[in-house]
Amino acid sequence: MPEFIEKKSNGFSTEVGRFAKQASHPNVGLFNHVKGISVVSGDFKNLSPKVRAYVEENIDLCQPEKIHICDGTENENNHLLNLMQQQGTIVPLPKYQNCWLARTNPADTARVESKTFICTEKRAETIPTTKEGIKGTLGNWMSPRDMDAAVKERFTGCMKGRTMYVVPFSMGPVSSPLSKIGIQLTDSAYVVVSMRVMTRMGQAVLDKLADGSDFVRCLHSVGTPANGFIEMKSWPCDPERTIILHKPQNNEIVSYGSGYGGNSLLGKKCFALRIGSTIAKREGWLAEHMLILGITNPEGKKRYIAAAFPSACGKTNLAMMTPTLPGYKIECVGDDIAWMRFDKDGQLRAINPENGFFGVAPGTSNSSNPIAMKTIFQNTIFTNVASTSDGGVFWEGMEDEIDPNVRITDWRGKPWTKGESKTPAAHPNSRFCTPAKQCPIIDPNWEAPEGVPISAILFGGRRPAGVPLVYQARDWKHGVLIGAAMRSEATAAAEHKGKVIMHDPFAMRPFFGYNFGHYLEHWLSMEQRSANLPKIFHVNWFRKGSDGKFLWPGFGENSRVLDWILRRLDNEDCAKETPIGYLPKPSAINMQGLKDKVNEEELFSLPKDFWMEEVYAIEKYFNEQVGSDLPETIEQELKQLKKRVNDM
Ligand code: GTP
Ligand code: SPV
Ligand code: MN
């Protein structure tokens, strides 16, 4: 029971002072100073020379008041939660165990792609050379000189009066040879507690660095607005000057102005995908925006599948799916990122470099994702969801999960009434940040240092028209074309407006660390690494009928599609050749026991006019956006697809 209960004006009890007894700084070193600045937790002398140099350099730049070297302990975590509660950054959610709600500044709620840059000497290393007058959409480039100026302008003195946290973290299990280490310097306690959930963070990582090994340098500040912008004390940020910079040559990330998601939890998109993909290119492996799941069929045969869907397009849902087909079992390895490489036997193996789920909250419910619902109500930080007067959370999709008599406060802190309020209760990109090990179907091998063997790779997106529920690539090269040609409706995960269909090759468009043309070459080169390549498929849960409704029930029913995919892996004769690849033969997808009849004809139809337009759109995209960097093989693959569709 909490020791002090205070009635807050927002209607529910908060546990002020719960951790007060332990709130003194853990692990304090007396006379522990660096450059005249006191180290309030941890021992600076014990850091490796490389880490010390990195910290010292950035003390000079950012001029923090204090240094806190994070050890990752529960005591430290409680101290930071307590601190944030006092500052008003988070409130406890007494309905659950150790759960917290953060409300960000409304100007800081999603990833900012337009302010994200890769810095290399030559522009062509980073982005394909686009046609004259065409704005490139495959990443933003900046010169190292401009990067230095941007950093100096924003970071000089930016941590005055604040604590600089030194966050040692590992992407992947600390003991895995496939893992990589980073040090994040940040002035946000929210980022520290979130990094503790999303990565392996703390002393064990510092111990591993003691041998002098290198690490990815991650500098982060929520920023201090230069002028005009009204600062919100509980969520400082500097939206006007926000910038996310990556220098692959130095394995370096610098992020300023935002405290939210992929902008600030630098292990995730910045490290595991953007810097990760450049390391992967050099070292001959793949860093991808993919979930990893294990699936056991009714005969007891288990396989692993990786799947790339764009942001907010169903990775978390598929990774934790509760299959409706009897006898199937799904286990979750990861829901967002896969690091994959071929082992000495030519088997592709994947690890999930993360340690938690930073999942989309709206739409998560006991009917759509009961496993997530069993995962997230302990030790979780919710951000920008709505709260209830009984100390819980609410979002769109949770209507049946709450007591109808509770009062709801929306993500901005305003009273909200169902059916009356015109704005959503939870921000569409509101998220939960929860430890992966709490997932009741976490795979027994999810931390296996050698990774899990991948048998199939799925690509998919939100395609309301024309694209069938599932089809299989003809071969690896055709599969790479399918990945390159991915398109999807825009979502709230980034700053895009409206439901336009956007190109999102490999679900990586916002996350490429280097030239997409070179990335395609890299994927094609995997054919030389193995005689046992995973089979490639494309799925679409989001096709709509002439009535504007989804044609496919999705979620647990997607097990029917996975069943067909597994049977294809077993070489079952359940597919027919079509111009776009192999589609299920009539009645090959098990529809037994489906609640509502599915219009299979519409779901699997291949309208010729749609596919001609699709091919032209891809051709135009490659021409304009990838230009001469497009591999000859992909050009040939597209030509062949065009011919097949034309002959339809
Ligand atoms: P990021 O974390 O942003 O990379 O996204 P994600 O791919 O993990 O997205 P997530 O699984 O959280 O999907 C979010 C949205 O997709 C929610 O609105 C879900 O309701 C919806 N969704 C997921 N699976 C299905 C499905 O099979 N059918 C339909 N119709 N919607 C789905
Ligand atoms: C995504 O947008 O794909 C996410 C959320 O997974 S964030 O980490 O904020 O990028
Ligand atoms: Mn993602």
Side-chain angles (χ1 to χ4, degrees), residues 101-103 109 260 360-364 382-387 393-399 408-414 416 421-432 492:
L101 169 60
R103 288 192 172 97
T109 56
Y260 193 67
V360 179
T364 308
F382 296 91
T383 304
N384 287 343
V385 303
S387 56
V393 292
F394 176 79
W395 49 73
E396 280 58 34
M398 257 182 95
E399 292 78 4
I408 294 173
T409 305
D410 76 4
W411 69 278
R412 291 167 181 264
K414 305 244 162 62
W416 187 92
S421 300
K422 300 265 175 312
T423 48
H427 187 279
N429 191 41
S430 56
R431 301 215 171 217
F432 51 78

Side-chain angles (χ1 to χ4, degrees), residues 111 268-269 273 289 310-312 315 335-337 431 511:
R111 259 186 308 103
K268 202 172 176 55
K269 308 299 184 179
L273 290 179
H289 192 203
S311 301
K315 287 185 301 300
D335 81 329
D336 199 47
I337 297 173
R431 301 215 171 217
F511 311 121

Side-chain angles (χ1 to χ4, degrees), residues 67 95 104 191 211 271 276 322 343 426 436 467 491:
I67 306 292
K95 189 173 174 183
T104 72
V191 165
D211 64 2
F271 180 162
T322 304
D343 67 14
V467 179
T491 67

Side-chain angles (χ1 to χ4, degrees), residues 341-349 450 453-454 526-534:
R341 66 171 89 200
F342 288 98
D343 67 14
K344 60 180 185 345
D345 304 319
Q347 172 65 57
L348 187 64
R349 290 191 166 270
E450 72 282 9
I454 298 295
M526 294 299 144
E527 244 187 325
Q528 273 87 64
R529 291 181 184 269
S530 172
N532 175 30
L533 290 160

Side-chain angles (χ1 to χ4, degrees), residues 269 289 309-318 335-336 358-360 362-364 368 429 431 462 493 541-542 550 552-555 558:
K269 308 299 184 179
H289 192 203
F309 309 154
S311 301
C313 288
K315 287 185 301 300
T316 306
N317 279 274
L318 189 66
D335 81 329
D336 199 47
F358 185 65
V360 179
T364 308
S368 68
N429 191 41
R431 301 215 171 217
R462 287 175 186 262
W541 321 137
F542 300 92
F550 288 123
W552 180 247
F555 303 103
N558 294 333

